[in-house]
Each structure stands twice: as structure tokens, then as C-alpha cells.
Amino acid sequence: MAQPKGTVVLAYSGGLDTSCILVWLKEQGYNVITYLANIGQKEDFEAARKKALGLGAKKVFIEDVSREFVEDFIWPAVQANALYEDRYLLGTALARPCIAQHLVEIARREGAQYVAHGATGKGNDQVRFELTCYALCPNIKVIAPWRLPEFYQRFPGRCELMDYAKKHGIPVPVTPQMPWSMDENLMHISYEAGILENPKVIHHSSHRAEGISCLCSLIGNFMVGPGSNKRAIRQMRRWWDGVPVKVTNAGDGASRCSALELFTYLNDIAGKHGVGRIDIVENRFVGMKSRGIYETPAGTILHQAHLDIETFTMDREVRKIKQGLALKFSELVYNGFWHSPECEFLRQCIQSSQENVEGTVRLSVFKGQVYILGRESPRSLYNEELVSMNVQGDYEPADATGFININSLRLKEYHRLQSKVTLKQAE
């Protein structure tokens, strides 16, 4: 029996990795407390509690932080129009600092010297978890089993981990027939690893390989697929300070106003029409490329709607600056720097830019697409009379001649020089 080593709070999901890590930590002599955050995943939390206690956890903490996740993490990302590498809406990256900050709160409350997680040594989540823990609790010690030689040499892969689970009677949802990893929260569901590590594998083609068919049914947690013949759903979405405050179904008039109810409803509506599914290869912070399959239904609707109302109400030059801030914000969030001074500064800047982002966007969702149908706002910078082709308004067309001449001067000079260089080279 190993010597007692103190108390560790484990970020617990109930899946293969953290269930085995719980038992392994006990073998090493730690008293294990598990922490499970409810951030909108479809899970039997009472069953997860019983499982953790059955595996030897001293205490099990389960907290519903889904509302906090939406209001404090998803909404700032929506305000920013955050996209990593132009496609990824950061579902997992936003969830990790939310979970980690509660992890260290439990550690402080319980007097635990350690926290632990099940993130791999090749991924981004290890960075996201640990940077948050160290930022909020500088003296905490982190146990990352997948980076410890005594762990990863004993378990070089998931097959060995599944053998360990079988030997110790640990029930896990992963089998050799379904060897991939799934992460679910309100913002998205992601799938990676296993058969998905081959970037050529097609995961939603009508000509599916036999081994991928089960994955497609799992992806239905949010979606029925873009081939649905159900009619388009039309919505009206009200915004205030760049944050959605009301969603109304134009068909039945029903409205949702609270952040959590609104977001859950959009997941359901968008999911039924296959909105927000992508299959990408991305660049991890640690330096390697990885393939991920993501479903982000509500996030995709809100991203499109926010882009539309923001362009409608925000000055052109301010928006150019804000686009640069959004790019940096997305990189910081992806890389785990949510609690860094630079990311806090960016969130303040982005929030300030949203003061006039107010109004209503009308849209429909159908067969995997979001269609913007119209918008209106009391803060609109759109001047119908000024832009009209039928009314001159407060604009003098003759002024455009000088505008064009001044802008063409630089081009004329550049090509004059190019002509001289070409002639000299021909001599």
C-alpha cells in the first residue's frame, strides 16, 4: 500500500480516462475528491456520483454552472465574434477555464494541496486547465497523469487503459468498437481520436464506412442532419450591448429571454436542421495539427446574427480594429489564457465596442444553413436616403470624381515605376 500523499481534487467526467485516473490516484496514496461541472452535457449526474463513490472517491462535488458558462464565457465570445483559425467556435476552450476556476475553489474549501485532470500530454486542455489553476491559485500543485512516465509507460494507449478498467471493474462508455473521445457542453459537442485520427475518414457521408455508422448516430445528440425535410424555422433575435436578450419563434410567437433558456432553445432548433457541424484540421497550441469534428448549433446561429447586427450598427473603422482584437482574443482563449491580463483587457475593449450593438435580426434555419432575412435597430448607421439609387439625398455625386482621382494617384505612380523597371530590364 502506498504512503498517504495528501488530498487531490480531480476534474472528473466519469469517462474512461478520469475513471481510471481516480483509481490510479488512490493506488498512489492520494485521498481523491472528484469535481464534476454541469455545463450542459447530457449526463446522469446521480449515476456519476454513485460511480465515483464506488471507485473510492472520498467526496463528490457536482455543480450546475451552465448559466455561468453561458453568461460569463459564451456571451463574451459571441460579442467578440470569436473564431479560431476562421472556423472553430471554441466550445471546449471556453469550457475549460469555467471548470478549472471551480476546481480550485473546491481545493481551497477542502484544504487540498493538489488538483488533477485527465487531459493528455499532447493536447490543448492540459494548458487551459493548468494556466487557469495557477492564475487563480498560484500555490496549487497539479497532477497530470498523462505527463508522468510512471503513468503513460504503463498505459501507452487507450487499449491498455480499457484493460485496466476491465481488471478493476470500472464501467466506461468507451469500447474497442467505439474508440474515440467525445466532449459535450452547452456550446458544442466535439469528437476526436481513435478512427478519427485518420483525416481521410468520412464521418457523415451517405457512403459511410461500417465502423463510422455508430459515430453518426452519436452526433445526433444535437442534430438530425442537414438532409431533414422539415420546414425552415424563422426566428427574431433581439440584441442589447452585443448580447442576445430575446428569441422569438416567428411561427408560434413563443419567446425565450433568459440566457440559459434562450441558448438551449437555439441548440434544439438549430440542431434539428443540422446547423453548426464542421470537420476540420486545426493547429494545436503545443505545435501539432489535429482533426476534430464539432457541432455548435446555437453558437453558429448567434455568430451569424451578431455579425449582422454589429455591421449594421458599428462604425467601419471601429469594426476594423475590433476584428483585430477578436482574432487575438480567439487565439488567447484557444491557448488557455482566459485569466491573463491581456485577455481581460481585450474583453473590456470588446465589451466597450458593443455599446451600440442593439436591435433585432430576423433569420431562418434550414438544412444546415442560417439565412439572415432582415434587421432593424434604433442605433443603425444605415441611412436609406443616403444610399438610395432613387434619391440623391445629402450626397454630391460629382465629389466622387476627386475621390477616385486621389485614390488612383498611388496606383498610377506604382505602375509608372514598374514600367520603368521593365523597360530597363529589357535593354
Side-chain angles (χ1 to χ4, degrees), residues 169-222:
I170 303 171
V172 291
V174 177
T175 69
Q177 288 73 43
M178 293 198 313
W180 51 74
S181 175
M182 184 183 88
D183 179 67
E184 179 185 8
N185 60 51
L186 271 172
M187 184 65 161
H188 83 172
I189 300 178
S190 68
Y191 301 87
E192 61 181 5
I195 57 175
L196 301 180
E197 289 174 353
N198 181 348
K200 295 187 293 184
V201 169
I202 300 173
H203 78 285
H204 54 54
S205 168
S206 58
H207 303 288
R208 299 182 183 116
E210 183 178 349
I212 202 74
S213 60
C214 290
L215 175 64
C216 296
S217 66
L218 279 175
I219 288 177
N221 283 353
F222 277 155

Side-chain angles (χ1 to χ4, degrees), residues 291-308:
R291 190 260 190 104
I293 298 167
Y294 301 108
E295 305 172 26
T296 318
T300 300
I301 284 186
L302 293 175
H303 180 75
Q304 295 296 330
H306 182 265
L307 277 172
D308 189 80

Side-chain angles (χ1 to χ4, degrees), residues 29-269:
Y30 293 99
N31 291 319
V32 182
I33 295 172
T34 58
Y35 174 71
L36 176 55
N38 176 0
I39 48 176
Q41 67 271 38
K42 296 177 179 66
E43 186 167 337
D44 186 336
F45 291 98
E46 187 54 36
R49 180 192 303 277
K50 292 178 180 178
K51 178 179 177 180
L53 291 171
L55 295 176
K58 296 294 184 183
K59 292 183 180 179
V60 177
F61 289 91
I62 299 175
E63 291 182 327
D64 186 345
V65 296
S66 50
R67 178 179 174 181
E68 175 188 338
F69 179 44
V70 174
E71 294 180 346
D72 295 349
F73 294 87
I74 295 177
W75 279 178
V78 170
Q79 288 179 313
N81 301 321
L83 273 181
Y84 180 70
E85 295 187 335
D86 303 316
R87 293 190 287 178
Y88 175 41
L89 285 163
L90 300 167
T92 299
L94 290 167
R96 294 315 185 222
C98 179
I99 296 170
Q101 68 183 30
H102 288 277
L103 189 69
V104 295
E105 286 174 10
I106 297 294
R108 280 176 171 153
R109 191 188 316 166
E110 295 298 311
Q113 309 97 310
Y114 307 92
V115 294
H117 59 76
T120 72
K122 290 185 177 181
N124 298 304
D125 282 343
Q126 58 179 337
V127 184
R128 296 163 181 161
F129 272 123
E130 295 181 38
L131 289 183
T132 296
C133 290
Y134 289 134
L136 301 181
C137 190
N139 295 324
I140 200 72
K141 296 177 182 178
V142 177
I143 301 173
W146 282 114
R147 296 205 307 268
L148 299 175
E150 60 267 33
F151 187 87
Y152 65 72
Q153 288 174 3
R154 183 177 177 184
F155 307 109
R158 296 177 74 79
C159 289
E160 290 79 10
L161 212 58
M162 284 187 275
D163 290 340
Y164 180 81
K166 184 177 180 180
K167 178 181 178 181
H168 289 81
I170 303 171
V172 291
V174 177
T175 69
Q177 288 73 43
M178 293 198 313
W180 51 74
S181 175
M182 184 183 88
D183 179 67
E184 179 185 8
N185 60 51
L186 271 172
M187 184 65 161
H188 83 172
I189 300 178
S190 68
Y191 301 87
E192 61 181 5
I195 57 175
L196 301 180
E197 289 174 353
N198 181 348
K200 295 187 293 184
V201 169
I202 300 173
H203 78 285
H204 54 54
S205 168
S206 58
H207 303 288
R208 299 182 183 116
E210 183 178 349
I212 202 74
S213 60
C214 290
L215 175 64
C216 296
S217 66
L218 279 175
I219 288 177
N221 283 353
F222 277 155
M223 305 185 174
V224 298
S228 171
N229 288 320
K230 295 180 180 180
R231 64 182 178 85
I233 302 293
R234 288 178 171 79
Q235 307 281 325
M236 293 184 292
R237 193 143 296 102
R238 180 74 177 173
W239 296 80
W240 186 273
D241 288 346
V243 169
V245 295
K246 185 178 182 180
V247 174
T248 302
N249 188 316
D252 59 18
S255 295
R256 279 80 176 173
C257 298
S258 74
L260 187 56
E261 183 185 29
L262 180 157
F263 203 84
T264 303
Y265 173 68
L266 290 181
N267 267 337
D268 179 56
I269 291 295

